[in-house]
Amino acid sequence: MTVQGWALIALFVAILGLAAKPVGLWLFALYEGRRTPLHAVLGPVERGFYRLSGVDPAKEQGWRAYALHMLLFQLATALLTYLLLRAQGLLPLNQRGLPGIGPDGAMNVAISFVTNTNWQWYTGEAKLSNLSQMLALAIHNFLSAATGIAIAFALFRGFARRECATVGNFWADMTRVTLYLLLPVCVVYALYLVWAGVPQTFAASIDAHTLEGARQTIALGPVASQEAIKLLGTNGGGFFNANSAHPFENPTAMTNLVQMLSIFLIGVGLTYTFGKAVGDTRQGWAILAAMTILFLAGVAVAYGMEAHSTPLMHRLGLAGGNMEGKEVRFGIVGSALFAVVTTAASCGAVNAMHDSFTALGGLIPLFNMELGEVVIGGVGAGIYGFLLFAILAVFVAGLMVGRTPEYVGKKIEAREVKLAVLAIAVLPLMILGGSAIAAVAQAGLAGPLNKGPHGFSEILYAFSSATANNGSAFAGLSAGTPFYNALLGIAMWIGRFFIIVPVLAIAGSLAAKKHTPAGAGSFPTTGALWVGLLVGIILIVGGLTFLPGLALGPVADHLTAAAGQLF
């Protein structure tokens, strides 16, 4: 570890801390449906959409209607993506004549991008045409991100409203987030990436001559536009197979820093938005403090272990840390920090191969996902997932003080606790259940490149990534088979929507309640004690997935190797 490395981490955290309030205020304006400076230009577009679609943005929905409209929209767009991928060979902007994707592969990709997972079993530049990259995938990067933020807005309204039967309008929330946040930021972001060296062209490839005199065909395409929303929307699906390790996606150390910041930007802002929505910004800062503690703990371990390297490398006289699977232009700190950011935020973009990390270095990305990716988390998904843990935390606090638990002026009763537990339980059930099936089925055992404990780690990582809607992989797993495409597709769908629906039910239940002022016996939810309780609850519940997963096999791979790494 170096002073420069820690300076980069400190700079990263400082920039995000400074950005939380301005980003949160912009999001709060969209949450309330207020006018922004962009309305002068984009307002007519928004109104035109409402007229064409027959949507009345002033007509709000109860949580059931909100959930139904959201689910129908996801199903319709997933079907459209499936058909586009199947028909790829017949569609334009396919200069290389690539055939359509097979049924199981197209189904997996459609579910992957609808759920904001962006799991990629394929090589993007070799399997997908420019039209598929733009129309089938990049559009979902906007829509899935907007869906997550819309669900967060609905839950915020549940906490903020009093004796109300509605939680907002799904179509209005989606439209405003896409039109006034995601699109304008991504236009500017994509222009920056083009300036930095990222391609943006309809050309499929270019021929180059190497120094040895050989002829090489280099894939190109509309990369910058997809790269911008891939990161800002915490999607993660790369245009190229190497993702953000590819020089055409992430050319320099500066673009690497900007990409990491953009992954966390909206998630950090939403914590402040929540505080504004409930009328107490200290609530948002407390949530951000708990997230930051968990994040920095992960960074310290991952960076420390990658910089320390392994005993075998030390015996061979190889100093300087573990550079296997990393790009020289990013170095150890830029790779370790990116790995923690992308798995804490359910992004899944990678600038290094996690399969090549040291034992404990590779354990942190896995642990981040199994916590439910609430350490900043995906856009919208991180904050509403974190609030599920907050509900559990106030329930535990209520038991300690002998009172009905309260949080931001709402009594947390049996219905909310049961729904929170139901949503949180989805993660361990799907991760452990899917991993167990794959570990005993012949088709599942054919997937890992490595055998033994590390091979199981590849399986466990895949189901953790799919269920948590992350999308990164332990590289060694050959997942493009009907078995894995089907099973991981189910995990992605359940991991997304079996959490969203209970969240909306909680929003509806809370919105109907009266406001309960804090009393002398109320547990304070803004101080250090509350932040510590939140961190503890998240770690304990995350262990429900993490420890059984280790017991199933990777204990020899991770803990034994980690002990050797440390001692």
Side-chain angles (χ1 to χ4, degrees):
M1 293 187 286
T2 65
V3 173
Q4 293 90 337
W6 284 111
L8 174 64
I9 295 168
L11 175 66
F12 176 79
V13 174
I15 293 174
L16 287 172
L18 292 173
K21 184 174 180 178
V23 174
L25 287 173
W26 187 271
L27 285 159
F28 185 63
L30 301 181
Y31 161 81
E32 288 197 318
R34 289 191 281 109
R35 186 177 178 83
T36 70
L38 291 177
H39 274 71
V41 177
L42 299 175
V45 178
E46 180 187 6
R47 293 190 293 272
F49 167 78
Y50 294 145
R51 283 195 295 270
L52 287 172
S53 60
V55 170
D56 179 2
K59 184 179 179 181
E60 294 206 344
Q61 301 162 327
W63 78 265
R64 290 180 179 84
Y66 201 103
L68 179 62
H69 285 232
M70 180 273 302
L71 288 171
L72 290 175
F73 178 67
Q74 310 305 320
L75 285 168
T77 53
L79 178 60
L80 176 62
T81 301
Y82 174 83
L83 294 175
L84 286 169
L85 293 173
R86 295 284 288 132
Q88 175 178 262
L90 306 174
L91 298 174
L93 290 178
N94 185 9
Q95 297 94 321
R96 288 169 289 167
L98 298 172
I101 307 297
D104 61 289
M107 178 273 297
N108 182 278
V109 174
I111 292 176
S112 174
F113 279 78
V114 164
T115 59
N116 200 252
T117 309
N118 304 72
W119 170 267
Q120 292 178 290
W121 53 266
Y122 56 88
T123 302
E125 62 267 44
K127 285 286 187 180
L128 297 180
S129 67
N130 284 344
L131 183 70
S132 294
Q133 293 273 18
M134 292 186 294
L135 188 57
L137 304 190
I139 285 179
H140 279 300
N141 289 350
F142 285 93
L143 298 179
S144 63
T147 297
I149 298 172
I151 302 305
F153 282 178
L155 184 57
F156 293 177
R157 294 186 186 107
F159 280 106
R161 293 181 174 180
R162 307 176 185 184
E163 300 180 87
C164 184
T166 60
V167 294
N169 183 302
F170 172 72
W171 304 108
D173 286 339
M174 284 280 294
T175 303
R176 290 166 185 156
V177 168
T178 303
L179 200 57
Y180 299 114
L181 176 67
L182 299 178
L183 276 172
V185 173
C186 284
V187 168
V188 176
Y189 193 178
L191 290 173
Y192 161 74
L193 290 174
V194 170
W195 172 82
V198 177
Q200 181 68 19
T201 175
F202 285 130
S205 62
I206 188 172
D207 290 334
H209 293 281
T210 68
L211 293 176
E212 292 82 6
R215 179 174 171 271
Q216 181 180 1
T217 299
I218 302 173
L220 295 173
V223 183
S225 56
Q226 182 162 321
E227 192 73 12
I229 186 58
K230 149 196 160 179
L231 297 157
L232 186 70
T234 61
N235 295 282
F239 193 96
F240 299 101
N241 185 51
N243 209 281
S244 286
H246 198 292
F248 281 178
E249 290 198 27
N250 193 5
T252 67
M254 180 57 72
T255 60
N256 193 59
L257 175 61
V258 172
Q259 289 193 9
M260 291 188 293
L261 289 169
S262 61
I263 291 171
F264 268 8
L265 189 65
I266 294 176
V268 165
L270 280 168
T271 62
Y272 189 83
T273 305
F274 173 71
K276 286 285 291 182
V278 300
D280 185 357
T281 56
R282 294 176 303 168
Q283 300 290 345
W285 291 121
I287 289 174
L288 183 56
M291 290 178 170
T292 304
I293 290 170
L294 290 165
F295 167 69
L296 289 176
V299 170
V301 174
Y303 177 37
M305 293 303 104
E306 294 307 298
H308 182 68
S309 189
T310 65
L312 178 59
M313 295 178 71
H314 285 297
R315 286 197 295 270
L316 293 173
L318 300 174
N322 176 35
M323 279 296 294
E324 181 188 346
K326 299 178 179 66
E327 289 293 311
V328 175
R329 64 185 185 276
F330 305 139
I332 290 174
V333 64
S335 302
L337 181 58
F338 200 112
V340 179
V341 167
T342 196
T343 52
S346 79
C347 180
V350 295
N351 74 348
M353 298 301 103
H354 296 178
D355 199 34
S356 297
F357 275 35
T358 61
L360 276 181
L363 201 64
I364 295 302
L366 180 63
F367 188 50
N368 280 341
M369 294 185 294
E370 292 179 352
L371 288 179
E373 291 190 310
V374 296
V375 183
I376 308 298
V379 288
I383 187 70
Y384 69 65
F386 195 96
L387 289 172
L388 294 175
F389 285 100
I391 289 172
L392 285 186
V394 294
F395 173 69
V396 172
L399 293 177
M400 290 191 293
V401 299
R403 282 176 55 107
T404 301
E406 302 162 5
Y407 187 50
V408 294
K410 293 296 178 75
K411 286 189 178 294
I412 304 300
E413 298 174 303
R415 175 176 170 81
E416 291 79 37
V417 174
K418 289 176 181 177
L419 287 168
V421 170
L422 176 65
I424 291 171
V426 166
L427 206 67
L429 289 174
M430 282 307 304
I431 291 174
L432 298 177
S435 299
I437 292 171
V440 297
Q442 185 175 358
L445 292 173
L449 175 66
N450 298 280
K451 304 305 177 185
H454 194 76
F456 183 83
S457 291
E458 294 171 358
I459 294 173
L460 182 65
Y461 193 104
F463 282 95
S464 299
S465 179
T467 307
N469 300 139
N470 182 272
S472 65
F474 242 31
L477 185 71
S478 299
T481 63
F483 174 85
Y484 277 110
N485 280 338
L487 202 55
L488 291 172
I490 293 169
M492 288 185 279
W493 189 269
I494 290 176
R496 177 75 161 180
F497 299 113
F498 280 52
I499 293 176
I500 283 180
V501 173
V503 165
L504 289 174
I506 291 171
S509 177
L510 293 173
K513 296 185 178 211
K514 297 179 181 180
H515 179 76
T516 304
S522 299
F523 188 86
T525 56
T526 56
L529 181 60
W530 169 244
V531 171
L533 180 60
L534 280 173
V535 171
I537 290 291
I538 291 169
L539 291 174
I540 290 169
V541 175
L544 295 176
T545 305
F546 183 69
L547 294 178
L550 287 178
L552 287 172
V555 63
D557 179 41
H558 286 304
L559 296 187
T560 304
Q565 183 179 341
L566 287 171
F567 305 110

